[in-house]
Amino acid sequence: MNSDVFQAIADPTRRAILGYLASGPRNVNAISRQFPVSRMAVYKHIKLLTASGLIEVRQRGRERFCEVRLERLAEVSEWIDQLREPWIARPNQSDIALQEAKSIRSNRKNKA
Amino acid sequence: MNSDVFQAIADPTRRAILGYLASGPRNVNAISRQFPVSRMAVYKHIKLLTASGLIEVRQRGRERFCEVRLERLAEVSEWIDQLREPWIARPNQSDIALQEAKSIRSNRKNKA
DNA sequence: AATTAATGCAACCTTTAGGTTGCATTAATT
DNA sequence: AATTAATGCAACCTAAAGGTTGCATTAATT
């Protein structure tokens, strides 16, 4: 369960959770109290965020404290930066697109 | 159909399309030839990317040329930057999270 | 020891996402 | 004028996303 960071930040509730956690680690219940969805819904978001590496969970007694790990967002900033770079003088762009698309497809097949 | 940028870049094929378009404007068919999915699948991705403002389409004859508009990615970089900023000395963070979550919910209701 | 709090798991539901195929339309070519 | 190329639309399918409720488990409290 090695979820994609882009996918992880696509959901507005998950972004809000990350924003909330920016003020410091909180346990699952504390987080879920902040949002108008059930605890389970938040729990699932946290599971996905953990899988994507955007948060880290430390158990302490019966509580599980979630802490935001912003490093993983570098993948996103870097993608944006690369896109912004002048495209010229880079190796054949269309070949790259094709390669990426192919690996996307084979990933999908492997999942199923 | 005013699609969210975070949502738009969540899909790997759409990211690859943007990467491909970084080398210059291309028409719909040219784009779809680069990827192992049907023309219609690509067409839908393009429609969504257009809705999110990430690409712009200019018609010329029977062709529609798609051009990438990177400005809209600022929303993403800014969100990341804000998250990275020290959270201290900002107004009550939990209230903000709550507000955001509420507006998310009411948006969902308005859609349905 | 009994109760309460914090969490996890399972089953289920509904909507959306991503994809397909077939047909229609309009602009360019021959 | 007939053909071909580029695109759009509609109907449909399947899987994943986001959500819910109910029950089980384990740690802390009283």
Side-chain angles (χ1 to χ4, degrees):
Chain A
M1 191 202 292
N2 170 308
S3 182
D4 175 25
V5 180
F6 290 89
Q7 177 64 32
I9 65 171
D11 182 83
T13 302
R14 280 195 293 267
R15 287 200 298 278
I17 289 175
L18 292 176
Y20 174 61
L21 289 179
S23 62
R26 296 282 186 281
N27 69 24
V28 180
N29 262 355
I31 300 168
S32 74
R33 259 181 257 115
Q34 300 294 322
F35 302 94
V37 293
S38 70
R39 180 180 58 82
M40 271 311 291
V42 169
Y43 165 72
K44 284 187 188 176
H45 284 310
I46 289 175
K47 226 169 61 170
L48 194 150
L49 287 169
T50 307
S52 74
L54 280 168
I55 67 176
E56 217 171 57
V57 182
R58 312 187 317 278
Q59 183 122 14
R60 248 190 50 190
R62 65 182 160 181
E63 291 173 83
R64 307 187 70 219
F65 284 90
C66 306
E67 189 170 4
V68 73
R69 310 292 308 164
L70 297 177
E71 309 87 57
R72 296 288 283 107
L73 287 175
E75 192 182 330
V76 178
S77 335
E78 276 163 26
W79 176 76
I80 292 177
D81 290 345
Q82 278 181 18
L83 216 55
R84 280 175 178 154
E85 271 169 30
W87 52 272
I88 212 145
R90 279 195 286 170
N92 196 324
Q93 196 57 34
S94 56
D95 287 351
I96 293 172
L98 187 58
Q99 270 317 110
E100 281 176 10
K102 276 179 183 167
S103 71
I104 289 158
R105 168 137 288 194
S106 66
N107 279 339
R108 271 206 272 269
K109 276 181 187 162
N110 292 341
K111 271 187 188 173
Chain B
M1 193 200 291
N2 170 307
S3 181
D4 175 26
V5 180
F6 290 89
Q7 178 63 31
I9 65 171
D11 183 83
T13 302
R14 280 194 295 267
R15 287 200 299 278
I17 289 175
L18 292 176
Y20 174 61
L21 288 178
S23 63
R26 296 282 186 281
N27 69 24
V28 181
N29 263 355
I31 299 168
S32 73
R33 259 181 259 116
Q34 301 294 321
F35 302 93
V37 292
S38 71
R39 181 181 57 84
M40 271 310 292
V42 169
Y43 165 72
K44 283 187 189 177
H45 284 310
I46 288 176
K47 227 170 60 169
L48 194 149
L49 287 169
T50 307
S52 74
L54 281 168
I55 68 176
E56 217 170 59
V57 183
R58 314 186 316 279
Q59 183 121 15
R60 249 190 50 191
R62 65 181 160 180
E63 291 172 85
R64 307 186 70 218
F65 285 90
C66 305
E67 189 170 5
V68 73
R69 310 292 307 167
L70 296 178
E71 309 87 58
R72 295 287 284 107
L73 286 175
E75 191 182 328
V76 179
S77 336
E78 277 163 24
W79 177 76
I80 292 177
D81 289 345
Q82 278 179 20
L83 217 54
R84 280 174 178 154
E85 272 169 29
W87 53 271
I88 212 144
R90 281 196 284 169
N92 196 325
Q93 197 57 32
S94 56
D95 288 351
I96 293 171
L98 188 58
Q99 270 318 109
E100 281 176 11
K102 276 179 182 167
S103 72
I104 289 159
R105 168 135 290 193
S106 65
N107 279 339
R108 272 207 271 268
K109 277 181 186 162
N110 292 341
K111 271 187 188 173

